[in-house]
Amino acid sequence: MYTYSDKSFLIIDDFGEFRRSVKTMCQQLGAVDIDQAATGQEAVNQCLNKKYDIILSDYNLGDGKDGQQILEELIHRRLLKPSAIFVMVTAENSTAMVMGALEYQPDAYLTKPFNKVALKTRLDKLMEKKQAMQAINNALEAGKHSLVLKLCDQEVAANSRYALSALRIKAELLEERGELTAAYTLYSTLCKERPLSWAIAGAARILIKQGNPRAARDLLESATKELPTFLDAQDLLADAMLQLGDSQNAQNVLQEAVKRSPKAVLRQRKLGEVALKNEDYPVATRAFKQTVSQGRHSVFKQSDPYLKLAHCLTRSLGGSPVEDKRTSDEFHRVLNELETDYKGDQEIAMRSLLAQAELHKTQNRPDDAASAAKGAAKLLAGLDRALPPDTAIDVAEKFVALGDADSAKQVLDACALLHGDDENLKKQRQEILGKAVKADEANDRAVELNNAGAKFFEKGDHENALRNFRKAIELAPQNISIVLNMAQTLLDIFQANPAEKDLLNECLRCLERIRHISPEDKRYARFQALLRQTQQLKAEHGA
Amino acid sequence: MSGQRVGIAFPTVLASTVHDMKNSLGMLLQALDAIIERIPEAVRDDLRELAVIKYESERVNHDLVQLLALYKIEQDQLPLNIGYHDVTEFLEEQGLLYGELLQYRHIELSVHADEGLFWYFDADLLASALGNIITNTIRYSKSAIELHAFIQDNALQLIVADDGPGYPKAMIEKQQDYLLGINQSSGSTGLGLYFSGQIARLHSKDGRQGHIVLANGQPMSGGAFRMVLP
């Protein structure tokens, strides 16, 4: 039915004999171009050099990255072309939801042992689906949103076998664009029909975004009863509970989820954060230890958990001298690993010094604490970018605790330029700096204009949306939310009026202002996508 | 479990042992296929042992899958991954998977379902449940197996039927016992039925749970295993 002679294959398995046998099967299907990799790192490197059509990866690869982590990295670093097929080979059945979050699912799971017939039927099916969805995926890649929505509607209207996939793409796109009401309608209609995990998760995500955590909680609680292995629901349930101010139950839910599926860096990290908030240091310490150790091979590896772990260790001092010795040894091991991994990163060096100052202070060495704090303040002066809100708050609190309110103010003010609409940041600024913060009327007005613009955008009134965003940007030129909304609106208007090339230049200028957005920011991917689309459209239209 | 003195959790042992066994099984089957490739086609048919090896390894594989799945159901750890699938295609795929086995045994397998029949189910779980049933049916069938699918009472009805001697009378009469897994009969028949019953039950809609029914004589002369998914 399909020819595989013109397709490039990558087979990933730590077991040579198995790689050879899968290679033989692929050859029997007509494949010629077949590469192999024995480790996750090797596989990722090969994908950097070559865009494969079909990747067959075993889930279990011994030490190092596992199959799920390979997939996460390939998606995250955009190393898979839209038409690529990724098949996860596992020893047990349908471990889908236990392995990875909904947004990092392979195209299919294949259970060992399988023969060439099983491989062929699976691949044929996937090829057929990719071909049917090709137009939608290409439009998605090119950022042609109205075309994507139109094609999805056609797929549904034709009652095609991929109608459900098309609806999912449509709902996720509407959600990404901020058309929350429309997305919610889609998700909730679908999950009333069947327990489709992605639709339930989507509906809950939107309820949380719209500030309706109670409804989200109810939806998720009934979903987890019906689908106890649906772990994304547990993560979202914790989010809803946090929004309700119930951080103790949020922690319980995450602890339960971590028990079911211990291998999930992001979940472990979230548990650490919540436990830290609850001042449950034993749980937080354990969770951050897991985050650090599992993160070693993960694309989600971040510096923050190392620092949080160091903080937790400092907080657990005060037991017996022997225990304290062990704890502070571990503290230094953690920071050493961090500094080795992030050599030359000023921000990390600063935060590491702050952590050390905190330790000195806890162990009654005020002179050492003061000199470490001074070192941190010096590094802060040399930073060329603002810290993301959570980090900024954490750093500011530490500076205040060490008696350096000026540095704390510097950190928070820089952050507020980009994140003026962040309620938590606003609250913490007031709390940390007290009277030092003047009411920032310009910023508040910008946030109002932005919200009004978003409402117009949802109604499809792009003209009025743009008018509001333009005014908002004048008042808060670096605010990430406003810039992203404006860029999306400009691109939409341009695609309807391709003659107005100035819009693209305006869009690029505006995105340029937030090029320092932290990769850890939730909107980083959206920023990159908008930037890429703008550059692509410029190239296409010679603007 | 009582009197635990082991330092390692049983589920971990179970999962990794099964994993290891399935790896080996995969290699065995691969090696066997390679050997078969070298045997002239004309001679292959006479090698009854090939059929035995194929058949028994298929059963071992099903047993392993079943073992792990039942354990996970027990622990509430079996993920349910509902999708929207083409039923005809799904059944044809199942038939293909056992193609060689059927060929060795000279059994014709045919699929009877309406074009364009789609339904919501977890394809992986259903494949392992039906795989169990199909392998068993292969053992009892004389010359033909039929897979049927249609909608009735707002539910998908899947039937695996054969022209063998049919299910024993006691089994038909006491099917509830088999499904509850309390029949201590020998062989894996009871457990296989219990397993597919559990898989069916995981599929529910508006409070109605899936279930299985055993019968004889319709749509073929032998046994008919039916799975009902609302």
Side-chain angles (χ1 to χ4, degrees), chain B residues 40-162:
Chain B
E41 291 226 23
V43 188
R44 278 186 217 174
D45 243 11
D46 297 339
L47 288 169
R48 298 191 132 271
E49 293 81 359
L50 286 182
V52 175
I53 296 174
K54 276 268 179 206
Y55 182 78
E56 296 303 328
S57 41
E58 205 58 76
R59 280 199 50 198
V60 171
N61 185 35
H62 281 309
D63 284 343
L64 291 172
V65 172
Q66 197 172 279
L67 178 71
L68 208 52
L70 286 173
Y71 173 79
K72 287 193 162 176
I73 290 176
E74 184 87 359
Q75 301 287 316
D76 248 353
Q77 281 182 349
L78 192 69
L80 184 64
N81 192 2
I82 300 282
Y84 189 58
H85 305 285
D86 180 329
V87 179
T88 314
E89 200 176 75
F90 172 77
L91 291 178
E92 276 170 354
E93 243 173 69
Q94 303 318 306
L96 278 173
L97 292 182
Y98 303 98
E100 276 177 317
L101 215 50
L102 293 157
Q103 210 180 319
Y104 286 130
R105 300 242 173 178
H106 303 293
I107 295 172
E108 281 289 327
L109 183 141
S110 57
V111 174
H112 306 260
D114 295 338
E115 262 316 306
L117 173 57
F118 275 75
W119 204 252
Y120 290 90
F121 53 87
D122 182 325
D124 284 329
L125 290 184
L126 221 59
S128 47
L130 286 182
N132 255 315
I133 302 299
I134 293 172
T135 19
N136 257 315
T137 308
I138 289 175
R139 163 178 295 189
Y140 293 108
S141 166
K142 277 211 291 284
S143 64
I145 294 176
E146 291 181 3
L147 307 181
H148 289 258
F150 52 92
I151 306 290
Q152 187 183 309
D153 305 331
N154 238 333
L156 175 70
Q157 316 272 332
L158 292 172
I159 298 178
V160 181
D162 65 72

Side-chain angles (χ1 to χ4, degrees), chain A residues 18 53 59 74 117 132 222 276 336 370 398 452 454 522:
Chain A
F18 189 78
D53 294 306
Y59 171 71
L74 296 181
V117 178
S222 69
L276 194 56
N336 277 340
K398 288 203 166 57
K522 277 205 276 294

Side-chain angles (χ1 to χ4, degrees), chain A residues 44-52 79:
Chain A
V44 171
N45 292 344
Q46 278 165 297
C47 291
L48 278 166
N49 297 323
K50 185 165 166 183
K51 295 281 177 275
Y52 290 95
L79 296 174

Side-chain angles (χ1 to χ4, degrees), chain A residues 18-48:
Chain A
F18 189 78
R19 286 199 303 276
R20 268 189 293 282
S21 91
V22 176
K23 184 176 175 173
T24 309
M25 281 189 227
C26 294
Q27 284 168 328
Q28 288 168 330
L29 301 184
V32 186
D33 179 356
I34 306 172
D35 292 342
Q36 301 180 30
T39 67
Q41 199 48 57
E42 207 181 310
V44 171
N45 292 344
Q46 278 165 297
C47 291
L48 278 166

